[in-house]
Amino acid sequence: MGMKRIITGAFCISALLMTQHVVAQGSGSNSLNINSKTAGQQKKPVIKKPKPLSKEFSLGLRVNSDGWGLFVDRGRLRSEDRNPDMFHNVRIIQVELSERRHFKEMKASNSSSTTPGTSNPSSFSYGKINNFYSFKIGYGNRKMIAGKPEQGTVSIHWVYLGGLSLGLLKPYYIDVSNGFSTKSIAYSDSTKEQFINYNQIIGSSGWSKGLSETKIVPGFFLRTGFHFDFANNKRAKMAIETGATLEYYTSEVQQMAGQKAQSAFFNVYAALQFGKRR
């Protein structure tokens, strides 16, 4: 009877241990499944790529064979391969203010003047009739033909544009003397003899003289050249450009006395340009 109780008790203990083991395995399996599902539901980290470059803005100085100019470019990057950071063409709008000088224009100073108060006469441009400025608004493209704007490389573009050119003619005034009195004159039929008489010229009347008499002559321009961008950062712009410009105005412009007036002007240029892309 005692042996029977011992065997029965051992059997119950064994059954209880086996039940606990099965339950533990089941809960562990469920926990593993839940963890794996939870891990599968977690979102993968999203790596944000830099926004592709699409615009550029730059300032520039242009030195022409007949003068100089300052300009501003606004560009929109365009790419056929959808990768404007690497290879791109640029659609540009350009605004420029420039001054044109006649090839015979030279500075002079008449130190022989004997008029009182002219011991230090100002310099003047002998024979100059008008200051000739132009305000241009152009539209065009820079088409890449070689290279890419990466660090340490140079991209080469063919640039072409055209648009409106407004010629601004400001009369050029000089101070002259007849030995007794001094006056400021501009070139006209009634003053041309005195205007070109070197011995009577004292000097320039100053840039602001005649500003209110500025005349506007409308016209157009065409420009083409090669653009070399050598910036060492794709978000920066540093470039040199060389090319040629043709301008045509609706009225003939006379810059110098004794020289033929003309409507068409041609020059070659070199420009330095710097700015940024975004």
Side-chain angles (χ1 to χ4, degrees):
M1 188 70 174
M3 182 60 68
K4 186 176 180 181
R5 288 180 178 178
I6 292 172
I7 293 174
T8 302
F11 179 79
C12 291
I13 292 172
S14 299
L16 180 61
L17 291 175
M18 290 179 64
T19 302
Q20 289 179 346
H21 179 70
V22 171
V23 171
Q25 282 187 337
S27 63
S29 176
N30 290 338
S31 175
L32 184 61
N33 290 336
I34 292 172
N35 290 337
S36 62
K37 289 181 180 180
T38 303
Q41 290 175 353
Q42 291 180 350
K43 293 183 179 180
K44 296 181 179 179
V46 178
I47 301 175
K48 291 185 178 181
K49 295 182 179 180
K51 187 179 180 180
L53 300 177
S54 60
K55 299 177 183 178
E56 70 172 42
F57 175 83
S58 59
L59 305 173
L61 170 65
R62 194 186 314 278
V63 179
N64 305 315
S65 56
D66 59 358
W68 62 279
L70 299 172
F71 64 94
V72 176
D73 269 8
R74 290 188 65 90
R76 182 171 293 277
L77 278 59
R78 303 171 63 242
S79 176
E80 295 178 359
D81 62 2
R82 303 296 180 184
N83 191 0
D85 288 7
M86 301 288 288
F87 300 91
H88 63 262
N89 301 326
V90 185
R91 183 173 292 167
I92 57 174
I93 295 176
Q94 186 175 95
V95 177
E96 178 180 5
L97 179 63
S98 60
E99 180 182 16
R100 169 168 285 105
R101 295 178 179 272
H102 196 276
F103 72 97
K104 287 195 172 183
E105 181 179 334
M106 294 182 65
K107 287 288 185 180
S109 179
N110 193 351
S111 58
S112 63
S113 174
T114 59
T115 303
T118 59
S119 56
N120 294 308
S122 60
S123 61
F124 61 96
S125 297
Y126 178 70
K128 183 175 182 176
I129 297 176
N130 289 299
N131 290 101
F132 184 18
Y133 305 98
S134 63
F135 178 76
K136 301 183 183 70
I137 301 177
Y139 177 82
N141 287 279
R142 287 202 304 267
K143 185 176 179 62
M144 199 182 75
I145 57 178
K148 55 181 179 291
E150 288 184 324
Q151 185 172 348
T153 63
V154 177
S155 63
I156 304 174
H157 291 74
W158 171 40
V159 58
Y160 54 93
L161 70 157
L164 177 67
S165 182
L166 298 178
L168 307 174
L169 296 178
K170 184 185 78 67
Y172 184 72
Y173 277 80
I174 57 173
D175 295 332
V176 296
S177 172
N178 58 8
F180 301 99
S181 61
T182 300
K183 62 180 178 180
S184 181
I185 63 171
Y187 185 86
S188 66
D189 290 339
S190 61
T191 63
K192 61 182 179 182
E193 296 297 330
Q194 194 174 15
F195 192 89
I196 60 175
N197 188 331
Y198 189 87
N199 293 326
Q200 293 187 21
I201 299 174
I202 300 173
S204 171
S205 298
W207 181 83
S208 60
K209 183 69 174 178
L211 191 60
S212 61
E213 303 172 48
T214 300
K215 296 179 180 179
I216 298 176
V217 182
F220 67 89
F221 79 99
L222 299 172
R223 176 175 293 145
T224 186
F226 291 101
H227 185 90
F228 305 89
D229 192 329
F230 53 89
N232 59 5
N233 185 321
K234 69 179 182 179
R235 292 191 176 275
K237 181 173 184 62
M238 181 75 71
I240 292 175
E241 186 176 300
T242 60
T245 306
L246 174 66
E247 298 175 35
Y248 183 84
Y249 295 92
T250 55
S251 299
E252 291 187 335
V253 176
Q254 188 169 16
Q255 294 176 262
M256 300 287 293
Q259 301 296 320
K260 185 179 179 181
Q262 58 189 107
S263 298
F265 299 86
F266 176 82
N267 65 49
V268 295
Y269 70 88
L272 176 63
Q273 197 170 347
F274 56 93
K276 62 181 181 180
R277 299 186 180 94
R278 59 184 178 87

